[in-house]
Amino acid sequence: MLASIFVFDGIRALARPEERAEAVRPFTDRVTPLLERTDPRLPTDPVTLVRAKAAADVLAGLALATGRFTRLSAAVLAVGLIPHTATDKGDRDHLLRNLGLLGGLLLAAADTEGRPSLRYRTTHAVDRSQRSVRRAVRTAKREARIAATAAATARRLPG
């Protein structure tokens, strides 16, 4: 449900990017020098930028809605919502709606769906392997002591 607004808004922007391009022109005028310094091949015209963001919204929204790459898609949508909120000349209701969406996306981006996070899994895998190594060292030392005792006993036996 959270993704639906991004999918429909993205489809609307893809169908008529010129309407949204005029609204974001002040923002793109400020961002254009940064884009040109970063990489001169990046598009800087507002219509292309609106289309790119709309395509990202549709793809990430569909991924979020279908449960594919949920954390990544929620993060992409959250990052894209920030300039959208900055360029939205709407009233307080639009701002509050966008903040509510941003909060939901941040929760979705942080949610591990009941599975441990990558950091948790990595830390515990390292801990388990360290315990296994310590156990193997203790076993090797014990086996070496037993072998040394057996060898010493064997030397004392006649024959």
Side-chain angles (χ1 to χ4, degrees):
M1 289 197 278
L2 177 62
S4 63
I5 192 164
F6 295 99
V7 173
F8 289 117
D9 193 41
I11 291 171
R12 191 177 324 126
L14 283 172
R16 293 187 299 278
E18 296 80 16
E19 293 175 9
R20 186 79 183 131
E22 288 307 313
V24 299
R25 189 171 299 281
F27 180 76
T28 58
D29 289 343
R30 287 181 286 173
V31 173
T32 297
L34 175 67
L35 290 175
E36 289 173 346
R37 266 187 278 137
T38 304
D39 189 354
R41 297 173 294 180
L42 289 174
T44 56
D45 69 297
V47 173
T48 305
L49 293 174
V50 166
R51 282 185 180 139
K53 183 194 177 303
D57 283 354
V58 169
L59 291 174
L62 289 173
L64 183 64
T66 59
R68 299 285 211 190
F69 308 107
T70 54
R71 296 179 79 187
L72 177 63
S73 58
V76 166
L77 291 172
V79 168
L81 188 61
I82 294 169
H84 181 79
T85 303
T87 60
D88 193 3
K89 298 296 182 197
D91 56 6
R92 183 182 60 212
D93 293 338
H94 284 154
L95 175 66
L96 293 175
R97 177 193 68 138
N98 288 345
L99 288 176
L101 287 171
L102 182 61
L105 290 170
L106 292 176
L107 285 173
D111 183 26
T112 61
E113 299 172 1
R115 293 186 306 260
S117 68
L118 182 61
R119 179 179 178 204
Y120 176 87
R121 287 182 285 170
T122 305
T123 302
H124 285 330
V126 168
D127 289 344
R128 281 191 306 272
S129 63
Q130 287 175 345
R131 280 194 304 264
S132 295
V133 167
R134 284 193 300 268
R135 197 173 310 120
V137 167
R138 282 194 309 266
T139 301
K141 285 180 181 178
R142 184 174 50 249
E143 295 294 327
R145 278 194 311 270
I146 291 170
T149 304
T153 304
R155 280 192 298 269
R156 283 188 249 139
L157 292 176

